[in-house]
């Protein structure tokens, strides 16, 4: 069983010491979705949301949030992120919006939390921008899809 690196010998939470780790190229991809009524999806598609450009605003919010992850989640290291890409795709099958975030860094610690934060905040932004039309929306399946770099190598979700 893997030990939790954020806990010390007495079980107290502490920031992990990464000073001895190598700087490597690290990437994380996360995903999630906002499920809504078909008429709410049509509102987004047509660009008729009262608050404005839903998908553009969600993309920007996700990018901004990824860069502030260390301010939101205790014990996360501040990182000099080199790339954040947030995509929001309309999906009639849900119905809703699928959100994907890819985050890259050259550093001593991974960017999984930054990718997950980007997706979460983008989904929350979508919800906020059209909640007047559909309060029954739900944010689903936020998860890490892939990470690479560092000591643990590559992880790909099934």
């Amino acid at each position: 069983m893997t030990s939790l690196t954020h806990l010390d010998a007495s079980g107290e939470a502490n920031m992990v010491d990464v000073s001895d780790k190598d700087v490597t190229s690290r990437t994380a991809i996360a995903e999630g979705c906002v499920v809504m009524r078909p008429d709410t999806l049509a509102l987004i598609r047509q660009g008729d949301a009262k608050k404005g450009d839903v998908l553009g605003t969600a993309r920007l919010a996700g990018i901004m949030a990824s860069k502030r992850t260390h301010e939101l989640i205790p014990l996360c290291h501040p990182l000099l992120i080199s790339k954040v890409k947030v995509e929001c795709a309309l999906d009639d099958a849900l119905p809703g919006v699928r959100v994907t975030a890819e985050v890259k860094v050259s550093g001593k610690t991974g960017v999984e939390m930054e990718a997950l934060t980007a997706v979460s905040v983008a989904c929350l932004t979508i919800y906020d921008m059209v909640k007047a039309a559909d309060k029954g929306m739900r944010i689903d399946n936020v998860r890490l899809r892939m990470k690479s770099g560092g000591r643990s190598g590559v992880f790909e979700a099934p």
Side-chain angles (χ1 to χ4, degrees), residues 11 13 20 23 47 50 52 68 77 84 94 99 108 110 117 133 146 150 157:
D20 292 335
V23 172
K50 289 185 180 182
R68 302 193 69 154
H77 291 84
V84 181
L94 280 173
V99 178
K108 296 183 174 202
T117 299
M146 188 281 295

Side-chain angles (χ1 to χ4, degrees), residues 1 30 36 147:
M1 183 169 154
M36 60 193 63
K147 66 108 10 234

Side-chain angles (χ1 to χ4, degrees), residues 82-114:
S82 54
K83 176 185 179 179
V84 181
K85 181 179 181 182
V86 176
E87 295 180 336
C88 301
L90 302 177
D91 186 340
D92 291 315
L94 280 173
V97 182
R98 293 191 182 277
V99 178
T100 305
E102 178 183 13
V103 182
K104 291 185 177 185
V105 70
S106 290
K108 296 183 174 202
T109 188
V111 287
E112 299 92 55
M113 295 310 300
E114 286 73 11

Side-chain angles (χ1 to χ4, degrees), residues 126-138:
I126 292 165
Y127 185 98
D128 178 58
M129 292 193 70
V130 293
K131 69 181 182 262
D134 186 356
K135 291 187 179 22
M137 289 179 290
R138 70 179 189 276

